[in-house]
Amino acid sequence: MTRRPPPQAQDPAGVAQRLLRASAAPGPADPIDWDTPVPDDVWFCRPERLSLYGTPLWEEMDQQQRIELSRHEMASFMSAGIWTELCLMQLLARHMASSGDYGDSRSHYALTEVADETRHCVMFGRTIHAMGCSPYPPSALVQRLFTFASTLYSELSVFALALVIEEVNDRLQREIVRDERVQPLVREVCRLHVTEEARHVSFARTELLHAAARASRPRLALQRELTAVSAFVALAQRIHSDVYAAAGLDPVRARREARSNPHYRRTLLWSGEKLTGFLTEAGMISRWQRHWWRRTGLLP
């Protein structure tokens, strides 16, 4: 009896591409044309929202350098979106598993949100690739901090952090959708994202208010503090420390000017005003946490 030769190894990237095309075959599941070239001379986000907009360094940069910065800041923004949504999926799954009630509509929507966030992570990852960038993952230290802190979260911090992740990004993305200066691919990705995120925000707000009404004062105090520190760590990931070097800038000078940039500070305050207002009304921000929220840039 002759031995059959072993099967030929297939290219993993080629197999993945084939499976992606098969998954999108029904049509409406993925309305984005990923094969359309992305031009290099079109903004990847609104220039007025970039961290260096209006700084002395910005004035020294030519148009192509500014667009290149927008490319890498958007790649960092979407990388942070992937990581925070992966964290959110873990928290939602753990929360649902601990509740033990898998048959009610709240559990079903939590699962629906996990499915939505999975699609968003794939969409952001493909967009980063289409833009010609590499992902900007958080440091190993930040990832370990989340692993530790996540064991302390309750439904209060889970849904408060869901709002931190979703509402801040939502305001920025809604602006991008309306701005015809921005890459069509980025605008379409943002449009698809905010459509589903609006439902997620409504769900998280309802669940947070429900949990806050039943929480004891000590429990509420602990979860307020945990939420504030976690929000500071999560939002600090939006502009990775390597972005400026990747855009061809002096990273030390760029980081220094970005930190003191009044234009960017106003962008952060604007992006968080609805969120911080709601969290304060919900009892999740007291005077004892305001210093953390100021460090996020979302409070003056």
Side-chain angles (χ1 to χ4, degrees), residues 85-105:
E85 292 197 345
L86 286 170
C87 293
L88 176 58
M89 285 190 277
Q90 293 180 56
L91 297 178
L92 286 171
R94 184 179 299 171
H95 169 67
M96 204 187 111
S98 64
S99 73
D101 189 353
Y102 314 133
D104 69 347
S105 59

Side-chain angles (χ1 to χ4, degrees), residues 153-173:
Y153 294 142
S154 75
E155 67 273 20
L156 285 164
S157 46
V158 168
F159 290 108
L161 288 171
L163 291 172
V164 170
I165 292 166
E166 292 164 351
E167 290 215 45
V168 172
N169 294 345
D170 185 77
R171 292 209 85 181
L172 293 164
Q173 289 177 327

Side-chain angles (χ1 to χ4, degrees), residues 126-189:
R126 296 189 74 175
T127 305
I128 293 169
H129 178 75
M131 292 192 302
C133 294
S134 297
Y136 289 95
S139 68
L141 174 60
V142 168
Q143 295 184 55
R144 286 196 293 270
L145 284 173
F146 169 75
T147 301
F148 169 74
S150 64
T151 62
L152 305 175
Y153 294 142
S154 75
E155 67 273 20
L156 285 164
S157 46
V158 168
F159 290 108
L161 288 171
L163 291 172
V164 170
I165 292 166
E166 292 164 351
E167 290 215 45
V168 172
N169 294 345
D170 185 77
R171 292 209 85 181
L172 293 164
Q173 289 177 327
R174 286 182 184 276
E175 265 200 340
I176 288 172
V177 171
R178 298 189 297 266
D179 195 330
E180 294 185 356
R181 296 174 298 171
V182 178
Q183 297 273 354
L185 171 63
V186 174
R187 292 173 62 202
E188 180 63 8
V189 167

Side-chain angles (χ1 to χ4, degrees), residues 31-53:
I32 297 175
D33 180 4
W34 295 103
D35 296 324
T36 299
V38 176
D40 292 327
D41 58 350
V42 180
W43 294 103
F44 290 82
C45 60
R46 301 190 76 227
E48 297 83 3
R49 299 303 184 189
L50 292 171
S51 63
L52 292 176
Y53 179 81

